Amino acid sequence: MRRQRPVILLTGFGPFPGVPENASAELVRALGKAAPKHFPEFRVWTAILPTEWRAGPAKAGELIASIKPTIALHFGVSRQASGFTIETRGVNFALPAADAAGLPPVSEQLEPEGPEALHSTFPAELIIERLRLKSLPAELSEDAGGYLCNAVLYHSLYRARQANWPIRCGFVHLPAALSRTPAPDYTETTLDWEQAVAGGLEIIAATIDEAAPTS
Ligand code: PCA
């Protein structure tokens, strides 16, 4: 029997209050088209998560449990980001802010039994290095915010850890200004769509190239 190819899961987010058009969804769709040609030894799976406290993290967790990706890269946008922002940890905290369905988080903690913080398992520093080599704006961040991006990162890392699944998982914030209809309160970016796709592919390549995490 032919061995199944390892799976790369790429997720983006739908709209949320203040961001009617989420560029991460468009980028993930574009990467879903481009990535299989660049990484034919992998199966590339994409999903757009609802920006909702209950459904967003749950959908990410279900995907990880069912398709068992070896790499899970979550993308979202930040109104403060001016380039690729590589998130190195998720915290067990939910900001009391309404989601896309108008609902607040269920509780202040994301996982009552979970640790305070979980570290991304993708090669954050290597990713930064590789993006900068391509002259793309990139920075490391230890603070993914307390909203849905942090929640999905934390939840995926938590689920993978619970299942003892050695996944390379992390989160990338893109500038919200990448949107085709940016709002005046978005931080400006020099990143254009061609660079965003090239950067996304480079993030995948760096993650593939790094040896699997041992912890
Ligand atoms: N950005 C939000 C949630 C969805 C998105 O794209 C965040 O930074 O939490």
Side-chain angles (χ1 to χ4, degrees):
M1 206 168 72
R2 197 164 157 249
R3 206 172 66 88
Q4 288 253 326
R5 285 172 297 164
V7 179
I8 298 175
L9 171 65
L10 305 173
T11 74
F13 273 106
F16 61 99
V19 178
E21 191 201 284
N22 194 320
S24 69
E26 184 169 341
L27 181 66
V28 162
R29 283 190 203 105
L31 290 174
K33 288 202 186 103
K37 287 178 229 132
H38 285 80
F39 314 107
E41 67 279 28
F42 287 85
R43 253 172 73 211
V44 179
W45 191 292
T46 62
I48 308 305
L49 306 175
T51 315
E52 294 176 25
W53 288 110
R54 275 182 190 279
K59 187 168 173 188
E62 278 157 26
L63 283 167
I64 288 179
S66 60
I67 65 175
K68 293 197 167 38
T70 54
I71 291 174
L73 298 174
H74 301 299
F75 292 84
V77 297
S78 158
R79 279 168 278 192
Q80 284 83 42
S82 57
F84 288 99
T85 307
I86 309 302
E87 304 293 349
T88 57
R89 60 178 206 148
V91 292
N92 194 2
F93 168 72
L95 199 72
D99 64 13
L103 297 172
V106 183
S107 64
E108 203 183 75
Q109 271 198 320
L110 296 169
E111 289 289 343
E113 308 287 317
E116 212 174 294
L118 287 169
H119 290 272
S120 298
T121 51
F122 68 174
E125 268 148 38
L126 177 66
I127 290 171
I128 294 282
E129 227 175 85
R130 299 259 300 247
L131 289 172
R132 289 186 179 159
L133 274 175
K134 287 197 166 285
S135 305
L136 297 170
E139 61 182 86
L140 274 182
S141 161
E142 280 202 326
D143 180 5
Y147 197 45
L148 262 306
C149 292
N150 172 71
V152 160
L153 174 60
Y154 185 91
H155 193 73
S156 289
L157 291 168
Y158 187 67
R159 287 290 294 261
R161 205 169 84 146
Q162 295 283 88
N164 217 359
W165 180 250
I167 192 173
R168 274 167 269 173
C169 174
F171 199 98
V172 178
H173 265 123
L174 308 161
L178 191 59
S179 159
R180 301 195 191 271
T181 52
D185 66 320
Y186 298 172
T187 301
E188 277 183 30
T189 183
T190 56
L191 205 64
D192 62 28
W193 273 99
E194 201 180 315
Q195 291 173 318
V197 174
L201 291 171
E202 195 62 19
I203 292 168
I204 299 171
T207 306
I208 292 173
D209 291 349
E210 168 83 3
T214 48
S215 61

Short mmCIF file of all heavy atoms in Angstrom, two decimals, residues 127-180:
data_model
loop_
_atom_site.label_atom_id
_atom_site.label_comp_id
_atom_site.label_asym_id
_atom_site.label_seq_id
_atom_site.Cartn_x
_atom_site.Cartn_y
_atom_site.Cartn_z
N ILE A 127 12.24 30.91 10.85
CA ILE A 127 11.25 31.54 9.96
C ILE A 127 11.58 33.02 9.76
O ILE A 127 11.59 33.54 8.63
CB ILE A 127 9.81 31.35 10.52
CG1 ILE A 127 9.40 29.88 10.40
CG2 ILE A 127 8.82 32.26 9.80
CD1 ILE A 127 8.10 29.54 11.11
N ILE A 128 11.88 33.70 10.87
CA ILE A 128 12.24 35.13 10.80
C ILE A 128 13.46 35.31 9.88
O ILE A 128 13.46 36.17 8.98
CB ILE A 128 12.58 35.67 12.21
CG1 ILE A 128 11.34 35.66 13.08
CG2 ILE A 128 13.21 37.06 12.13
CD1 ILE A 128 10.37 36.78 12.82
N GLU A 129 14.47 34.48 10.13
CA GLU A 129 15.71 34.57 9.33
C GLU A 129 15.41 34.41 7.84
O GLU A 129 15.86 35.19 7.00
CB GLU A 129 16.58 33.40 9.76
CG GLU A 129 18.02 33.68 10.06
CD GLU A 129 18.64 32.39 10.58
OE1 GLU A 129 19.05 31.58 9.74
OE2 GLU A 129 18.67 32.20 11.82
N ARG A 130 14.61 33.40 7.54
CA ARG A 130 14.33 33.10 6.13
C ARG A 130 13.48 34.19 5.48
O ARG A 130 13.66 34.52 4.30
CB ARG A 130 13.65 31.72 6.01
CG ARG A 130 14.54 30.59 6.55
CD ARG A 130 15.23 29.83 5.45
NE ARG A 130 14.28 29.22 4.56
CZ ARG A 130 14.10 27.91 4.43
NH1 ARG A 130 14.81 27.06 5.17
NH2 ARG A 130 13.26 27.44 3.55
N LEU A 131 12.55 34.76 6.23
CA LEU A 131 11.73 35.84 5.66
C LEU A 131 12.60 37.07 5.40
O LEU A 131 12.49 37.72 4.36
CB LEU A 131 10.57 36.20 6.61
CG LEU A 131 9.45 35.16 6.72
CD1 LEU A 131 8.48 35.55 7.83
CD2 LEU A 131 8.69 35.01 5.40
N ARG A 132 13.49 37.35 6.34
CA ARG A 132 14.35 38.54 6.19
C ARG A 132 15.33 38.36 5.04
O ARG A 132 15.67 39.32 4.35
CB ARG A 132 15.06 38.85 7.50
CG ARG A 132 14.07 39.39 8.53
CD ARG A 132 14.74 39.84 9.80
NE ARG A 132 13.74 40.36 10.74
CZ ARG A 132 13.92 40.46 12.04
NH1 ARG A 132 15.06 40.09 12.58
NH2 ARG A 132 12.96 40.94 12.81
N LEU A 133 15.78 37.12 4.84
CA LEU A 133 16.66 36.85 3.69
C LEU A 133 15.96 37.18 2.38
O LEU A 133 16.58 37.51 1.38
CB LEU A 133 17.07 35.37 3.67
CG LEU A 133 18.30 35.00 4.51
CD1 LEU A 133 18.50 33.48 4.49
CD2 LEU A 133 19.54 35.70 3.95
N LYS A 134 14.64 37.07 2.39
CA LYS A 134 13.86 37.42 1.20
C LYS A 134 13.42 38.88 1.24
O LYS A 134 12.52 39.28 0.48
CB LYS A 134 12.63 36.52 1.10
CG LYS A 134 12.95 35.10 0.69
CD LYS A 134 11.69 34.39 0.20
CE LYS A 134 11.96 33.11 -0.53
NZ LYS A 134 12.48 33.19 -1.85
N SER A 135 14.00 39.64 2.15
CA SER A 135 13.68 41.07 2.32
C SER A 135 12.20 41.31 2.65
O SER A 135 11.62 42.32 2.23
CB SER A 135 14.06 41.88 1.09
OG SER A 135 15.40 41.68 0.78
N LEU A 136 11.62 40.36 3.39
CA LEU A 136 10.22 40.54 3.79
C LEU A 136 10.19 41.00 5.25
O LEU A 136 10.98 40.52 6.07
CB LEU A 136 9.46 39.22 3.63
CG LEU A 136 9.37 38.70 2.19
CD1 LEU A 136 8.82 37.29 2.15
CD2 LEU A 136 8.49 39.64 1.36
N PRO A 137 9.28 41.93 5.58
CA PRO A 137 9.22 42.43 6.95
C PRO A 137 8.70 41.33 7.90
O PRO A 137 7.65 40.73 7.65
CB PRO A 137 8.22 43.59 6.86
CG PRO A 137 7.38 43.30 5.65
CD PRO A 137 8.25 42.53 4.70
N ALA A 138 9.48 41.07 8.97
CA ALA A 138 9.09 39.98 9.88
C ALA A 138 9.61 40.26 11.28
O ALA A 138 10.71 40.77 11.44
CB ALA A 138 9.68 38.67 9.38
N GLU A 139 8.79 39.94 12.27
CA GLU A 139 9.26 40.07 13.64
C GLU A 139 8.67 38.99 14.54
O GLU A 139 7.62 38.42 14.24
CB GLU A 139 8.98 41.46 14.20
CG GLU A 139 7.53 41.83 14.26
CD GLU A 139 7.37 43.25 14.79
OE1 GLU A 139 7.46 44.18 13.98
OE2 GLU A 139 7.17 43.40 16.01
N LEU A 140 9.42 38.72 15.63
CA LEU A 140 8.98 37.72 16.60
C LEU A 140 8.06 38.40 17.60
O LEU A 140 8.26 39.57 17.92
CB LEU A 140 10.18 37.20 17.39
CG LEU A 140 11.00 36.04 16.85
CD1 LEU A 140 12.08 35.70 17.86
CD2 LEU A 140 10.15 34.82 16.56
N SER A 141 7.09 37.64 18.10
CA SER A 141 6.20 38.19 19.12
C SER A 141 5.90 37.11 20.15
O SER A 141 5.71 35.95 19.82
CB SER A 141 4.91 38.68 18.47
OG SER A 141 3.89 38.80 19.43
N GLU A 142 5.86 37.53 21.41
CA GLU A 142 5.52 36.60 22.49
C GLU A 142 4.09 36.81 22.94
O GLU A 142 3.66 36.26 23.93
CB GLU A 142 6.41 36.90 23.70
CG GLU A 142 7.77 36.33 23.61
CD GLU A 142 8.36 36.20 25.00
OE1 GLU A 142 8.07 37.05 25.85
OE2 GLU A 142 9.11 35.25 25.21
N ASP A 143 3.38 37.69 22.24
CA ASP A 143 2.06 38.07 22.70
C ASP A 143 1.08 38.09 21.53
O ASP A 143 1.03 39.05 20.76
CB ASP A 143 2.16 39.46 23.36
CG ASP A 143 0.82 39.95 23.86
OD1 ASP A 143 -0.17 39.18 23.80
OD2 ASP A 143 0.76 41.10 24.32
N ALA A 144 0.32 37.01 21.41
CA ALA A 144 -0.61 36.89 20.29
C ALA A 144 -1.93 37.61 20.57
O ALA A 144 -2.90 37.47 19.83
CB ALA A 144 -0.86 35.42 19.98
N GLY A 145 -1.97 38.39 21.68
CA GLY A 145 -3.20 39.08 22.06
C GLY A 145 -4.07 38.13 22.87
O GLY A 145 -3.70 36.98 23.09
N GLY A 146 -5.22 38.60 23.30
CA GLY A 146 -6.06 37.71 24.10
C GLY A 146 -7.32 37.32 23.36
O GLY A 146 -8.29 36.85 23.95
N TYR A 147 -7.31 37.52 22.05
CA TYR A 147 -8.54 37.28 21.27
C TYR A 147 -8.47 35.91 20.58
O TYR A 147 -7.77 35.01 21.05
CB TYR A 147 -8.70 38.46 20.31
CG TYR A 147 -10.08 38.64 19.71
CD1 TYR A 147 -11.23 38.56 20.47
CD2 TYR A 147 -10.21 38.91 18.34
CE1 TYR A 147 -12.48 38.74 19.89
CE2 TYR A 147 -11.46 39.09 17.75
CZ TYR A 147 -12.60 39.00 18.53
OH TYR A 147 -13.83 39.16 17.95
N LEU A 148 -9.15 35.74 19.49
CA LEU A 148 -9.29 34.42 18.88
C LEU A 148 -8.00 33.83 18.33
O LEU A 148 -7.83 32.61 18.30
CB LEU A 148 -10.36 34.46 17.78
CG LEU A 148 -11.75 33.99 18.17
CD1 LEU A 148 -11.73 32.61 18.78
CD2 LEU A 148 -12.40 34.92 19.18
N CYS A 149 -7.07 34.68 17.90
CA CYS A 149 -5.82 34.14 17.35
C CYS A 149 -5.05 33.43 18.45
O CYS A 149 -4.59 32.30 18.29
CB CYS A 149 -4.98 35.25 16.72
SG CYS A 149 -5.76 35.90 15.23
N ASN A 150 -4.96 34.10 19.60
CA ASN A 150 -4.31 33.46 20.75
C ASN A 150 -5.07 32.19 21.15
O ASN A 150 -4.47 31.15 21.43
CB ASN A 150 -4.27 34.44 21.92
CG ASN A 150 -3.78 33.77 23.19
OD1 ASN A 150 -2.60 33.43 23.30
ND2 ASN A 150 -4.68 33.53 24.13
N ALA A 151 -6.39 32.27 21.14
CA ALA A 151 -7.21 31.12 21.57
C ALA A 151 -6.98 29.91 20.68
O ALA A 151 -6.84 28.78 21.15
CB ALA A 151 -8.69 31.50 21.59
N VAL A 152 -6.91 30.14 19.37
CA VAL A 152 -6.71 29.01 18.44
C VAL A 152 -5.30 28.44 18.59
O VAL A 152 -5.11 27.23 18.62
CB VAL A 152 -7.01 29.44 16.98
CG1 VAL A 152 -6.37 28.50 15.98
CG2 VAL A 152 -8.52 29.48 16.77
N LEU A 153 -4.31 29.33 18.73
CA LEU A 153 -2.95 28.85 18.92
C LEU A 153 -2.86 28.00 20.19
O LEU A 153 -2.35 26.88 20.17
CB LEU A 153 -1.97 30.02 19.00
CG LEU A 153 -0.52 29.67 19.34
CD1 LEU A 153 0.06 28.71 18.31
CD2 LEU A 153 0.35 30.92 19.43
N TYR A 154 -3.38 28.54 21.29
CA TYR A 154 -3.32 27.82 22.56
C TYR A 154 -4.05 26.48 22.45
O TYR A 154 -3.53 25.44 22.86
CB TYR A 154 -3.93 28.68 23.68
CG TYR A 154 -3.77 28.03 25.04
CD1 TYR A 154 -2.65 28.30 25.82
CD2 TYR A 154 -4.71 27.12 25.51
CE1 TYR A 154 -2.48 27.67 27.06
CE2 TYR A 154 -4.55 26.49 26.74
CZ TYR A 154 -3.43 26.77 27.50
OH TYR A 154 -3.27 26.15 28.72
N HIS A 155 -5.22 26.53 21.88
CA HIS A 155 -6.05 25.32 21.80
C HIS A 155 -5.39 24.23 20.95
O HIS A 155 -5.37 23.07 21.33
CB HIS A 155 -7.41 25.70 21.21
CG HIS A 155 -8.44 24.63 21.37
ND1 HIS A 155 -9.01 24.34 22.59
CD2 HIS A 155 -8.96 23.77 20.49
CE1 HIS A 155 -9.87 23.34 22.43
NE2 HIS A 155 -9.86 22.97 21.16
N SER A 156 -4.82 24.62 19.82
CA SER A 156 -4.15 23.63 18.96
C SER A 156 -2.95 23.01 19.67
O SER A 156 -2.75 21.80 19.64
CB SER A 156 -3.67 24.27 17.65
OG SER A 156 -4.78 24.57 16.86
N LEU A 157 -2.16 23.87 20.31
CA LEU A 157 -0.98 23.35 21.03
C LEU A 157 -1.44 22.43 22.17
O LEU A 157 -0.84 21.38 22.41
CB LEU A 157 -0.15 24.51 21.60
CG LEU A 157 0.57 25.38 20.55
CD1 LEU A 157 1.10 26.66 21.19
CD2 LEU A 157 1.72 24.61 19.88
N TYR A 158 -2.51 22.82 22.82
CA TYR A 158 -3.02 22.03 23.95
C TYR A 158 -3.55 20.66 23.47
O TYR A 158 -3.21 19.63 24.03
CB TYR A 158 -4.11 22.82 24.66
CG TYR A 158 -4.60 22.19 25.93
CD1 TYR A 158 -3.77 22.09 27.04
CD2 TYR A 158 -5.90 21.69 26.03
CE1 TYR A 158 -4.21 21.49 28.21
CE2 TYR A 158 -6.35 21.11 27.20
CZ TYR A 158 -5.51 21.01 28.29
OH TYR A 158 -5.94 20.42 29.45
N ARG A 159 -4.34 20.71 22.42
CA ARG A 159 -4.91 19.46 21.89
C ARG A 159 -3.82 18.51 21.41
O ARG A 159 -3.86 17.31 21.65
CB ARG A 159 -5.87 19.74 20.72
CG ARG A 159 -7.19 20.33 21.11
CD ARG A 159 -8.09 19.37 21.86
NE ARG A 159 -8.54 18.25 21.04
CZ ARG A 159 -9.73 18.18 20.45
NH1 ARG A 159 -10.57 19.16 20.56
NH2 ARG A 159 -10.05 17.10 19.75
N ALA A 160 -2.83 19.07 20.71
CA ALA A 160 -1.74 18.24 20.19
C ALA A 160 -0.95 17.63 21.35
O ALA A 160 -0.57 16.46 21.32
CB ALA A 160 -0.82 19.07 19.31
N ARG A 161 -0.76 18.43 22.39
CA ARG A 161 -0.02 17.94 23.55
C ARG A 161 -0.81 16.85 24.27
O ARG A 161 -0.28 15.81 24.64
CB ARG A 161 0.25 19.10 24.51
CG ARG A 161 1.46 18.85 25.38
CD ARG A 161 1.82 20.10 26.10
NE ARG A 161 1.02 20.22 27.31
CZ ARG A 161 1.49 20.76 28.43
NH1 ARG A 161 2.71 21.23 28.48
NH2 ARG A 161 0.72 20.85 29.48
N GLN A 162 -2.11 17.05 24.44
CA GLN A 162 -2.98 16.06 25.09
C GLN A 162 -2.93 14.73 24.35
O GLN A 162 -2.92 13.68 24.96
CB GLN A 162 -4.45 16.53 25.08
CG GLN A 162 -4.75 17.74 25.87
CD GLN A 162 -4.80 17.44 27.35
OE1 GLN A 162 -3.77 17.49 28.01
NE2 GLN A 162 -5.96 17.10 27.85
N ALA A 163 -2.91 14.84 23.02
CA ALA A 163 -2.94 13.62 22.19
C ALA A 163 -1.53 13.08 21.97
O ALA A 163 -1.36 12.08 21.26
CB ALA A 163 -3.61 13.93 20.86
N ASN A 164 -0.53 13.78 22.54
CA ASN A 164 0.85 13.35 22.37
C ASN A 164 1.25 13.31 20.89
O ASN A 164 1.95 12.40 20.45
CB ASN A 164 1.03 11.97 23.00
CG ASN A 164 2.38 11.86 23.67
OD1 ASN A 164 3.15 12.84 23.62
ND2 ASN A 164 2.68 10.73 24.25
N TRP A 165 0.74 14.28 20.14
CA TRP A 165 0.95 14.30 18.70
C TRP A 165 2.09 15.29 18.40
O TRP A 165 1.99 16.47 18.72
CB TRP A 165 -0.35 14.71 18.01
CG TRP A 165 -0.26 14.77 16.53
CD1 TRP A 165 -0.29 15.88 15.75
CD2 TRP A 165 -0.13 13.66 15.65
NE1 TRP A 165 -0.18 15.53 14.44
CE2 TRP A 165 -0.08 14.18 14.34
CE3 TRP A 165 -0.05 12.26 15.84
CZ2 TRP A 165 0.06 13.36 13.23
CZ3 TRP A 165 0.09 11.46 14.74
CH2 TRP A 165 0.14 12.01 13.44
N PRO A 166 3.21 14.81 17.83
CA PRO A 166 4.37 15.69 17.63
C PRO A 166 4.19 16.60 16.43
O PRO A 166 4.66 16.32 15.33
CB PRO A 166 5.51 14.70 17.41
CG PRO A 166 4.84 13.51 16.79
CD PRO A 166 3.42 13.47 17.28
N ILE A 167 3.52 17.69 16.65
CA ILE A 167 3.15 18.57 15.56
C ILE A 167 4.02 19.83 15.60
O ILE A 167 4.41 20.28 16.67
CB ILE A 167 1.65 18.93 15.73
CG1 ILE A 167 1.07 19.61 14.52
CG2 ILE A 167 1.43 19.75 16.95
CD1 ILE A 167 -0.43 19.80 14.64
N ARG A 168 4.34 20.35 14.44
CA ARG A 168 5.00 21.67 14.41
C ARG A 168 3.88 22.68 14.18
O ARG A 168 3.31 22.73 13.08
CB ARG A 168 6.04 21.71 13.29
CG ARG A 168 7.40 21.18 13.75
CD ARG A 168 8.32 20.93 12.62
NE ARG A 168 8.18 19.56 12.14
CZ ARG A 168 8.77 19.08 11.06
NH1 ARG A 168 9.54 19.86 10.35
NH2 ARG A 168 8.59 17.82 10.71
N CYS A 169 3.59 23.41 15.21
CA CYS A 169 2.40 24.27 15.19
C CYS A 169 2.75 25.69 15.62
O CYS A 169 3.52 25.88 16.55
CB CYS A 169 1.37 23.67 16.16
SG CYS A 169 -0.10 24.66 16.42
N GLY A 170 2.19 26.66 14.93
CA GLY A 170 2.43 28.04 15.32
C GLY A 170 1.44 28.98 14.67
O GLY A 170 0.58 28.55 13.89
N PHE A 171 1.58 30.24 15.02
CA PHE A 171 0.65 31.25 14.53
C PHE A 171 1.39 32.41 13.88
O PHE A 171 2.42 32.85 14.37
CB PHE A 171 -0.19 31.81 15.69
CG PHE A 171 -1.43 32.48 15.21
CD1 PHE A 171 -2.63 31.81 15.20
CD2 PHE A 171 -1.38 33.77 14.70
CE1 PHE A 171 -3.76 32.42 14.69
CE2 PHE A 171 -2.50 34.38 14.19
CZ PHE A 171 -3.70 33.70 14.19
N VAL A 172 0.83 32.89 12.78
CA VAL A 172 1.41 34.03 12.08
C VAL A 172 0.35 35.12 11.95
O VAL A 172 -0.71 34.89 11.36
CB VAL A 172 1.91 33.62 10.67
CG1 VAL A 172 2.49 34.83 9.93
CG2 VAL A 172 2.96 32.51 10.76
N HIS A 173 0.65 36.27 12.52
CA HIS A 173 -0.22 37.43 12.30
C HIS A 173 0.26 38.17 11.06
O HIS A 173 1.45 38.44 10.90
CB HIS A 173 -0.16 38.39 13.49
CG HIS A 173 -1.23 38.18 14.49
ND1 HIS A 173 -1.00 37.92 15.82
CD2 HIS A 173 -2.60 38.20 14.36
CE1 HIS A 173 -2.15 37.80 16.45
NE2 HIS A 173 -3.13 37.97 15.59
N LEU A 174 -0.68 38.52 10.22
CA LEU A 174 -0.39 39.32 9.01
C LEU A 174 -0.93 40.72 9.27
O LEU A 174 -1.85 40.90 10.07
CB LEU A 174 -1.17 38.76 7.81
CG LEU A 174 -1.03 37.29 7.51
CD1 LEU A 174 -2.20 36.83 6.63
CD2 LEU A 174 0.29 37.04 6.83
N PRO A 175 -0.41 41.71 8.55
CA PRO A 175 -0.99 43.04 8.71
C PRO A 175 -2.44 43.05 8.19
O PRO A 175 -2.69 42.57 7.07
CB PRO A 175 -0.12 43.93 7.83
CG PRO A 175 1.06 43.11 7.42
CD PRO A 175 0.69 41.68 7.58
N ALA A 176 -3.35 43.59 8.99
CA ALA A 176 -4.74 43.69 8.53
C ALA A 176 -4.80 44.55 7.26
O ALA A 176 -5.67 44.39 6.41
CB ALA A 176 -5.62 44.29 9.62
N ALA A 177 -3.81 45.45 7.14
CA ALA A 177 -3.77 46.38 6.00
C ALA A 177 -3.51 45.68 4.67
O ALA A 177 -3.60 46.31 3.61
CB ALA A 177 -2.70 47.45 6.24
N LEU A 178 -3.19 44.40 4.71
CA LEU A 178 -3.03 43.64 3.48
C LEU A 178 -4.38 43.50 2.76
O LEU A 178 -4.45 43.26 1.55
CB LEU A 178 -2.48 42.25 3.84
CG LEU A 178 -1.99 41.32 2.75
CD1 LEU A 178 -0.86 41.97 1.95
CD2 LEU A 178 -1.48 40.01 3.38
N SER A 179 -5.45 43.66 3.53
CA SER A 179 -6.80 43.57 2.97
C SER A 179 -6.97 44.48 1.75
O SER A 179 -6.35 45.54 1.67
CB SER A 179 -7.81 43.98 4.06
OG SER A 179 -9.02 44.37 3.47
N ARG A 180 -7.82 44.06 0.84
CA ARG A 180 -8.06 44.88 -0.36
C ARG A 180 -8.92 46.10 -0.02
O ARG A 180 -9.06 47.01 -0.81
CB ARG A 180 -8.70 44.04 -1.45
CG ARG A 180 -7.77 42.87 -1.80
CD ARG A 180 -8.10 42.19 -3.09
NE ARG A 180 -7.34 40.96 -3.23
CZ ARG A 180 -6.14 40.87 -3.78
NH1 ARG A 180 -5.57 41.93 -4.27
NH2 ARG A 180 -5.52 39.70 -3.85
#
